Amino acid sequence: MELNRERLLELVQKYGAPLYVYDANKIKSQYEKMTTAFSTVKRLKLNYACKANTNLNILKYFKSLGSGLDTVSIQEVELGLMAGFKPKEIIYTPNGVSYAEIKRAIELGVRINIDNLSVLETFGQDFPKYPVCVRINPHIMAGGNANISVGHIDSKFGISIHQLPHIKRVVKNTGLHLDGVHMHTGSDILDIDVFLQGAEILFEVAAEFKNLSYIDFGSGFKVPYYPGADETDIDYLGERLSERFNEFEKAYGKPLTLMFEPGKYMVSEAGMFLASVNVVKQTTSTVFAGIDTGFNHLIRPMFYSAHHEIENISNPEGRSRYYTVVGYICETDTFGSNRKINEISEGDVLCFHNAGAYCFSMASNYNSRFRPAEVLLIDDKDYLIRRRETIQDLIATTEDIKF
């Protein structure tokens, strides 16, 4: 995301640091990039995977673009309804949740995606007429990290493609209304041919059921983490998969909707995380830049070695030096090691790019720190969409007892 550095510094002056900033124009351009890539498909529905960023105002913005919503918890479902999505615009794809939560989703009237045979059988007995989707595990290894590859044989997600006869038996025995089939192989997909291989598996599954209304191909499309980095070629994927989908729909003999559930692809590049430098500390081997945040606010680098470009927006013309950027959490808390950054001084503001997805949504109050504010830019006008927390927020759910 390219924003004027002076504008970002103005936002820090106005709202303080650390601070999350999101550019609505970038979200819109990503959304339109996908719809354009699949423009030859008559019925296309993008469902924003809101676990990437669940701020209510972000959800409302996706609603304004015409998006549906992909959710993984009943709380996300309820947020989606609060944001104005109609129940059938929301698909609920849980994993390992209680049956009571699934029943609650039925009460709310949303689309349901099931990835467990025993749950599917119980569901079919209890709610045979309620439209349901099944999540297939195609046993394909895809994704940039073991923690975000979810379609391989050792994954907890989905019903194995080899268990297709069991799915067919459940449908036959219970009269289950199977409305859709789904797959999601993982995040950071680069190999289009591997993705298309999974798509062929899903087409084979879909051909076994004659009353489907949609096929959901998940997402996991890669965004560039630094200038010149690899990313998923959406235009090429759109060309290849659209042609194949249209062929399949014609052979299937009834209209089908092509669904995707992009999350990170939609919001990652739209986000920036701004933090102030507390200290510059030189040791016998390293120069540390210590900032006023930690993995409590941005856990991705520590959690799965995610790369975020770090830029000193206070000194963009300074000479380059090498720094290890660390946070204030009282354990190893590293954002980037031995990074080449324009010379850093105490008080400078550093900008972390690609901070729109799985950043604030994974933030915590570890070390009893306050979670930061969030700002949304719409045509360069700034809106505070979440205030910075206070000490009262930390104790708001605490019950006081007397000793």
Side-chain angles (χ1 to χ4, degrees):
M1 172 180 144
E2 294 294 334
L3 279 180
N4 183 285
R5 297 182 183 94
E6 293 301 320
R7 182 74 174 105
L8 294 175
L9 290 172
E10 288 174 4
L11 293 174
V12 170
Q13 286 292 318
K14 183 174 181 178
Y15 297 106
L19 180 70
Y20 278 103
V21 178
Y22 312 117
D23 182 8
N25 290 344
K26 182 60 178 179
I27 294 173
K28 183 178 181 181
S29 71
Q30 290 294 99
Y31 185 86
E32 292 176 345
K33 188 175 180 180
M34 279 205 71
T35 57
T36 300
F38 291 89
S39 59
T40 61
V41 174
K42 290 182 180 179
R43 284 161 291 274
L44 174 71
K45 188 64 175 180
L46 303 183
N47 299 312
Y48 167 57
C50 68
K51 66 178 180 175
N53 188 321
T54 55
N55 187 288
L56 194 62
N57 294 284
I58 297 292
L59 304 190
K60 289 178 179 179
Y61 187 71
F62 273 102
K63 170 66 177 170
S64 76
L65 295 176
S67 174
L69 204 64
D70 173 70
T71 64
V72 296
S73 71
I74 202 67
Q75 292 81 7
E76 288 185 354
V77 169
E78 291 173 349
L79 284 172
L81 294 171
M82 291 171 63
F85 288 92
K86 296 176 182 177
K88 293 308 178 187
E89 294 176 320
I90 299 173
I91 185 166
Y92 167 65
T93 306
N95 177 262
V97 305
S98 70
Y99 193 60
E101 182 167 316
I102 293 173
K103 289 171 70 175
R104 175 60 180 154
I106 294 170
E107 292 173 3
L108 295 174
V110 301
R111 296 180 184 270
I112 295 177
N113 191 6
I114 292 177
D115 79 339
N116 181 297
L117 273 174
S118 64
V119 173
L120 188 68
E121 184 172 358
T122 302
F123 188 98
Q125 293 177 27
D126 292 347
F127 308 101
K129 302 306 179 184
Y130 195 96
V132 70
C133 178
V134 292
R135 178 174 182 170
I136 300 296
N137 185 330
H139 299 321
I140 289 175
M141 187 69 178
N145 181 286
N147 290 346
I148 52 176
S149 296
V150 296
H152 54 84
I153 196 166
D154 292 322
S155 172
K156 69 174 182 173
F157 298 96
I159 300 173
S160 169
I161 181 60
H162 302 305
Q163 293 176 309
L164 179 59
H166 297 279
I167 299 173
K168 293 171 68 176
R169 187 168 65 244
V170 168
V171 171
K172 181 179 179 180
N173 289 345
T174 65
L176 184 71
H177 181 187
L178 192 63
D179 195 37
V181 292
H182 166 272
M183 76 168 188
H184 179 63
T185 57
S187 295
D188 283 358
I189 293 168
L190 278 176
D191 194 329
I192 300 299
D193 289 333
V194 172
F195 188 89
L196 293 172
Q197 180 186 345
E200 286 301 324
I201 293 173
L202 203 58
F203 284 132
E204 291 173 10
V205 173
E208 297 291 328
F209 304 98
K210 301 306 179 184
N211 295 304
L212 301 179
S213 62
Y214 63 93
I215 302 177
D216 187 338
F217 292 91
S219 182
F221 307 127
K222 183 175 174 58
V223 296
Y225 293 127
Y226 50 88
D230 291 331
E231 60 182 304
T232 303
D233 189 339
I234 288 293
D235 290 333
Y236 179 63
L237 175 63
E239 178 185 347
R240 293 282 304 278
L241 185 56
S242 295
E243 181 180 1
R244 183 67 184 93
F245 180 85
N246 290 335
E247 289 175 358
F248 179 83
E249 183 184 43
K250 184 177 180 180
Y252 191 73
K254 69 183 291 282
L256 291 168
T257 297
L258 170 58
M259 285 189 180
F260 287 107
E261 50 194 45
K264 180 167 65 177
Y265 185 80
M266 292 295 185
V267 295
S268 179
E269 293 176 278
M272 291 191 172
F273 184 50
L274 308 175
S276 294
V277 178
N278 285 336
V279 296
V280 177
K281 178 179 180 178
Q282 183 157 352
T283 69
T284 54
S285 61
T286 304
V287 179
F288 291 102
I291 57 179
D292 63 349
T293 184
F295 67 71
N296 55 321
H297 295 158
L298 179 57
I299 198 173
R300 296 182 74 249
M302 291 297 297
F303 186 34
Y304 35 56
S305 302
H307 178 92
H308 291 266
E309 282 288 284
I310 304 173
E311 178 185 3
N312 183 0
I313 61 174
S314 295
N315 187 24
E317 304 301 325
R319 68 186 181 111
S320 296
R321 300 190 64 184
Y322 289 90
Y323 299 90
T324 292
V325 180
V326 294
Y328 57 17
I329 295 299
C330 289
E331 55 194 85
T332 301
D333 183 17
T334 305
F335 292 104
S337 297
N338 206 33
R339 293 286 190 90
K340 189 177 181 180
I341 304 172
N342 292 341
E343 189 166 15
I344 298 173
S345 301
E346 292 170 2
D348 283 352
V349 175
L350 303 187
C351 176
F352 294 76
H353 294 258
N354 276 97
Y358 303 105
C359 294
F360 188 95
S361 66
M362 298 177 78
S364 74
N365 295 118
Y366 187 49
N367 283 189
S368 296
R369 296 286 187 176
F370 306 142
R371 288 183 299 174
E374 294 178 289
V375 169
L376 180 64
L377 290 174
I378 304 177
D379 296 327
D380 200 43
K381 184 175 181 180
D382 53 279
Y383 298 87
L384 181 66
I385 59 173
R386 193 189 306 269
R387 64 168 173 78
R388 192 175 309 281
E389 290 178 334
T390 68
I391 195 68
Q392 293 303 315
D393 293 312
L394 293 188
I395 62 172
T397 58
T398 302
E399 296 294 336
D400 190 28
I401 64 173
K402 304 299 182 183
F403 293 94

